[in-house]
């Protein structure tokens, strides 16, 4: 949902003046972290790109390189993430997920299941059908039923084809038809009929089709409440959803977990990293 982000474009925006403020915050002895985080989080991503360009013109230096050399730890990771364009941030996250020993399935699933068709096309040129195809709701539901509950063993390809290629609006209608046909929610069938990585992918697609904010609220809760904080997931979601639907994610979080996202971030993180995350969060729904 457009306009449901916590970060909005700054109205009295001046790229040169912001570039100067950041330059001063990093010049000389010590770094003024408070100024850096307040300024960058109160600007939209498009404005941050303009600040980057102005900084280069005025000082002949790369703003991101300077930020990296002045900041450290998780705070640095968060600020650098904010400086990437949304598409490049997704591309970088996917690249890291695929690189190295073993693939980080969680990242692949989260990004590919939750992004819109236009965003996916930008990232990997994949195609997902748009809108609701009235003519195929019933046959899709029947195909899923035939592929799983009705047969001995599971036709996983059918699940992948339908869940991976239909629009969220269409899938919500298919899930209703599926329940009438089989007596089961689609999630129950996926849990029974599939396992491992495939099961995670399919469940994520179903959750996102039902509600993207509820899906991200659950991912955030797990990232904060597991054994130790999963900072990579926390940063990725807070940054990538800050201009899209973080207000809705906050509301879904409150509804699902009877506490606020703000409160859990406050309890489970610290220092400038915590301050930056709370600013991104944009308020407490206690």
């Amino acid at each position: 949902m457009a306009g449901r982000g916590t970060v909005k474009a700054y109205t009295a925006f001046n790229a040169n003046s912001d570039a100067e403020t950041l330059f001063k915050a990093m010049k000389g002895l010590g770094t003024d972290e408070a100024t850096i985080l307040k300024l960058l989080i109160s600007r939209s991503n498009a404005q941050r790109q303009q600040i980057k360009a102005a900084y280069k013109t005025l000082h002949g230096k790369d703003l991101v390189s300077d930020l990296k050399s002045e900041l450290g730890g998780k705070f640095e990771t968060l600020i650098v993430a904010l400086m990437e364009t949304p598409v490049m941030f997704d591309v970088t996250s996917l690249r890291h997920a695929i690189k190295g020993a073993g693939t980080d399935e969680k990242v692949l699933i989260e990004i590919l299941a939750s992004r819109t068709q236009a965003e996916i096309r930008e990232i990997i040129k994949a195609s997902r059908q748009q809108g609701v195809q009235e003519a195929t709701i019933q046959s899709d539901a029947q195909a899923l039923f035939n592929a799983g509950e009705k047969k001995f063993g599971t036709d996983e390809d059918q699940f992948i084809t339908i869940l991976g290629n239909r629009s969220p609006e269409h899938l919500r209608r298919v899930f209703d038809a599926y329940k009438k046909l089989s007596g089961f929610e689609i999630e129950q069938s996926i849990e029974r009929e599939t396992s491992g990585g495939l099961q995670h992918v399919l469940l994520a697609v179903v959750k996102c089709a039902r509600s993207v904010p509820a899906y991200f609220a659950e991912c955030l809760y797990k990232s904060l409440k597991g054994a130790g904080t999963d900072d990579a997931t926390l940063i990725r979601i807070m940054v990538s959803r800050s201009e899209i639907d973080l207000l809705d994610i906050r509301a879904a979080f409150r509804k699902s977990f009877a506490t606020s996202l703000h409160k859990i971030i406050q309890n489970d993180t610290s220092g400038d990293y915590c301050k930056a995350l709370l600013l991104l969060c944009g308020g407490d729904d206690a």
Side-chain angles (χ1 to χ4, degrees), residues 236-280:
R236 196 170 55 249
I237 296 173
M238 294 298 285
V239 168
S240 66
R241 307 315 288 185
S242 61
E243 288 182 50
I244 300 172
D245 55 2
L246 198 46
L247 290 172
D248 295 327
I249 293 168
R250 267 172 41 189
F253 195 97
R254 184 79 186 80
K255 193 173 158 197
S256 296
F257 305 110
T259 183
S260 69
L261 177 59
H262 189 278
K263 212 167 249 81
I264 292 198
I265 289 172
Q266 211 165 21
N267 292 343
D268 291 30
T269 62
S270 60
D272 290 317
Y273 177 53
C274 175
K275 285 178 201 160
L277 285 169
L278 292 177
L279 266 184
L280 269 183

Side-chain angles (χ1 to χ4, degrees), residues 43-106:
R43 305 297 185 266
S44 68
N45 190 280
Q47 290 175 332
R48 288 182 214 124
Q49 304 313 318
Q50 290 177 54
I51 296 168
K52 218 193 285 189
Y55 193 90
K56 184 84 173 159
T57 307
L58 293 168
H59 299 288
K61 299 167 88 176
D62 180 58
L63 174 55
V64 176
S65 301
D66 280 2
L67 286 166
K68 281 180 175 172
S69 66
E70 294 293 326
L71 309 174
K74 294 175 283 202
F75 178 55
E76 177 197 325
T77 308
L78 175 63
I79 294 296
V80 169
L82 285 167
M83 296 307 296
E84 293 240 41
T85 64
V87 169
M88 277 319 295
F89 184 51
D90 277 351
V91 169
T92 308
S93 301
L94 287 170
R95 201 176 288 139
H96 285 313
I98 296 164
K99 211 174 65 180
T103 301
D104 187 347
E105 279 181 348
K106 186 172 58 188

Side-chain angles (χ1 to χ4, degrees), residues 34 165 199:
N165 291 297
Q199 184 183 95

Side-chain angles (χ1 to χ4, degrees), residues 154-222:
T154 308
D155 181 356
E156 291 170 345
D157 288 351
Q158 274 289 13
F159 275 86
I160 296 164
T161 302
I162 292 171
L163 296 178
N165 291 297
R166 308 293 192 263
S167 71
E169 307 85 1
H170 181 86
L171 286 175
R172 286 195 289 274
R173 300 278 298 279
V174 172
F175 300 156
D176 291 342
Y178 181 86
K179 190 174 181 190
K180 284 196 186 106
L181 190 68
S182 68
F184 298 110
E185 293 290 1
I186 188 74
E187 290 92 334
Q188 294 172 294
S189 293
I190 291 171
E191 279 166 358
R192 263 210 304 276
E193 301 289 332
T194 64
S195 61
L198 174 66
Q199 184 183 95
H200 297 315
V201 174
L202 297 180
L203 286 174
V205 171
V206 170
K207 280 174 187 163
C208 287
R210 291 201 190 277
S211 165
V212 168
Y215 168 71
F216 278 122
E218 188 184 323
C219 293
L220 282 171
Y221 184 78
K222 285 179 181 163

Side-chain angles (χ1 to χ4, degrees), residues 118-174:
E119 288 164 342
I120 296 279
R121 210 168 33 237
E122 282 286 320
I123 301 164
I124 53 165
K125 312 294 181 207
S127 71
R128 189 185 265 270
Q129 178 195 82
Q130 286 180 301
V132 176
Q133 316 296 316
E134 291 290 345
T136 60
I137 289 171
Q138 210 51 46
S139 59
D140 280 352
Q142 187 69 53
L144 287 171
F145 183 58
N146 293 348
E149 293 292 350
K150 201 175 165 189
K151 105 193 244 300
F152 184 72
T154 308
D155 181 356
E156 291 170 345
D157 288 351
Q158 274 289 13
F159 275 86
I160 296 164
T161 302
I162 292 171
L163 296 178
N165 291 297
R166 308 293 192 263
S167 71
E169 307 85 1
H170 181 86
L171 286 175
R172 286 195 289 274
R173 300 278 298 279
V174 172

